[in-house]
Amino acid sequence: MDLSKTTASDFSPLDPLHRRKLWVRFQTPATTFYHIYWRRLALTLGILALLGWLAAAAAAWTYIRTSRDFSGASYLNIALPWRWSEHRASLGRHYLARARIELEQQDYAAAYQHLTAGLARVPNDTAGRRLLAFVQIRFGRPDLALHTLSAGAQLAGADLDYLKLLFGLLLEAQQDDRVITLATSLLPTQPDAVLAHQFTALQAATAHFHRGRYDATEQLISAWGLDRSLEGSILLARCDWERGYPDLALLRLENNLPRFPRRDELYIALIRYYRELGRTDAARQTALLRRFNDPVSPGPRIDVLHTAPATSETAATSREVDTYLADFAADPQALVLLAWFGSDTAQPALVQRTLALARSRKYLPNAFNLALAQSQIAATDYRAALTTTETALREDNEDNRFFTATLDGLRALALFGLRDTGRAEL
């Protein structure tokens, strides 16, 4: 439109000719004028910005659904800023779900990445924290696992599996004072019957016991009524034993047999105390009861073997070993238990049998080599122990590096036994 002859006084903003314009430019003989329709301009810019925002959200939504394999992504959660927290949480749950699948497929590296990404977005997912700690332990980083679990301790609530893993790692790392501090923060001021609280109080009592604070241990057990549980009774018996009252410790455990006739840990504690006191008949009888309660597990049968040397049942013991090897040939952990039994009782021939079986089934030989060398040293066959350790050190085994220090120590013991102090001190 030609507005060159329009004057400022002639211009009307409401003129229908300017209905769809954002601004109008016209000239007078003296100057050039601009009239800007601010409302129209602001509305237009707002619409363009909104369309651009929605387009960017659509692009992000498509990217997340395809590249991140998150088919459950919500477009509204991405497009609306006040729903971003919901999108972040749903994406975190998606990562955690993928990590569980990857763990089932034993793809631990990918699972670790998705677990860390998921927990960064959903930090209160205690099940995810447990899984991440499991992977970190598998990677040989229990320190990271402790950090992961400790960060979510206040969120665990009644998650007993979470608390068991956390306190188990702390006690294994001998961080007893940290156990007590954490337990104090988690426990209510008044004792109650909540199972998670009872378990937490027992861990605090155990930490006090490890520090030799037996009075504090007994006070906690009494305050929380843990003496009614087998775990509390065993801990009290350990206090009695450490204070020099073995008969009181045994009496306390024996009194629990009618209440807990099938609890394996009770029989383990009794067998240990009987053996240390030289009560071999009672130890064997208890070991047989333990095997009767659980005939298919290797542990009870190893206890029976441990009590057999004190008797004259050589043929029966030999049959038990043969049966054990036949029953647990496909269980490398059970074979390791038998190898360590042979080491404890100085029976190199028995350990040789377990090592030969392990090699035939292509199990890792490291633990068997350690047990064999120790049994040979216990039997004062230092020449054979030297051969065993040197052969094991030469084995082309990727995992052997974890046993190198122990094997070197056993080799030095064998050399000292052979009076070759020069080589032993190298």
Side-chain angles (χ1 to χ4, degrees), residues 152-168:
Q154 299 298 333
L155 303 171
D159 190 338
L160 198 55
D161 291 334
Y162 189 100
L163 295 174
K164 284 181 179 179
L165 183 57
L166 171 57
F167 283 113

Side-chain angles (χ1 to χ4, degrees), residues 214-215 218 233-253 273 277 279:
Y214 307 129
D215 289 340
E218 293 172 343
S233 296
I234 290 177
L235 191 54
L236 288 174
R238 294 174 68 188
C239 289
D240 295 333
W241 184 275
E242 293 299 327
R243 281 173 163 157
Y245 304 115
D247 292 335
L248 182 58
L250 279 174
L251 180 62
R252 191 187 297 276
L253 294 177
Y273 287 160
L277 292 173
R279 297 174 57 177

Side-chain angles (χ1 to χ4, degrees), residues 139-366:
F139 285 159
R141 295 299 304 272
D143 54 325
L144 292 180
L146 265 178
H147 181 270
T148 298
L149 294 170
S150 298
Q154 299 298 333
L155 303 171
D159 190 338
L160 198 55
D161 291 334
Y162 189 100
L163 295 174
K164 284 181 179 179
L165 183 57
L166 171 57
F167 283 113
L169 286 173
L170 286 171
L171 290 172
E172 185 177 346
Q174 300 182 356
Q175 298 189 25
D176 301 314
D177 291 334
R178 190 173 170 187
V179 169
I180 296 168
T181 301
L182 178 60
T184 303
S185 68
L186 295 176
L187 289 173
T189 54
Q190 294 297 323
D192 55 32
V194 176
L195 186 58
H197 293 163
Q198 295 266 310
F199 174 80
T200 302
L202 181 65
Q203 305 316 297
T206 303
H208 280 300
F209 171 81
H210 288 162
R211 292 296 173 181
R213 298 191 283 260
Y214 307 129
D215 289 340
T217 301
E218 293 172 343
Q219 288 170 5
L220 263 175
I221 290 175
S222 175
W224 283 86
L226 299 174
D227 52 332
R228 296 189 294 271
S229 69
L230 177 59
E231 293 80 5
S233 296
I234 290 177
L235 191 54
L236 288 174
R238 294 174 68 188
C239 289
D240 295 333
W241 184 275
E242 293 299 327
R243 281 173 163 157
Y245 304 115
D247 292 335
L248 182 58
L250 279 174
L251 180 62
R252 191 187 297 276
L253 294 177
E254 289 168 348
N255 287 340
N256 278 281
L257 279 173
R259 297 172 55 211
F260 306 103
R262 303 188 69 85
R263 293 288 295 274
D264 203 46
E265 57 267 44
L266 176 56
Y267 290 97
I268 291 173
L270 280 169
I271 292 167
R272 175 196 166 199
Y273 287 160
Y274 285 142
R275 289 177 59 195
E276 291 194 23
L277 292 173
R279 297 174 57 177
T280 54
D281 290 341
R284 183 161 178 77
Q285 181 181 5
T286 307
L288 290 170
L289 283 172
R290 185 187 176 207
R291 187 179 67 175
F292 177 80
N293 287 334
D294 189 7
V296 298
S297 295
R301 295 170 68 169
I302 291 293
D303 269 343
V304 171
L305 288 172
H306 265 294
T307 58
T311 73
S312 57
E313 301 177 18
T314 306
T317 301
S318 179
R319 286 195 301 271
E320 178 65 28
V321 169
D322 292 341
T323 304
Y324 186 100
L325 287 170
D327 291 345
F328 299 107
D331 186 346
Q333 296 301 321
L335 292 180
V336 168
L337 285 178
L338 184 61
W340 284 113
F341 161 74
S343 174
D344 293 340
T345 54
Q347 298 185 61
L350 174 57
V351 185
Q352 284 277 18
R353 290 181 64 187
T354 63
L355 176 59
L357 181 56
R359 289 189 185 280
S360 70
R361 289 182 169 264
K362 301 188 183 324
Y363 300 148
L364 289 177
N366 301 318

Side-chain angles (χ1 to χ4, degrees), residues 96 100 115 119-120 122-136 145 147-153 155 162 165:
L96 294 175
R100 291 182 177 91
L115 284 169
L119 286 175
V122 194
N124 60 346
D125 191 305
T126 54
R129 285 188 178 275
R130 276 206 320 272
L131 290 175
L132 178 57
F134 164 77
V135 175
Q136 289 168 332
H147 181 270
T148 298
L149 294 170
S150 298
L155 303 171
Y162 189 100
L165 183 57

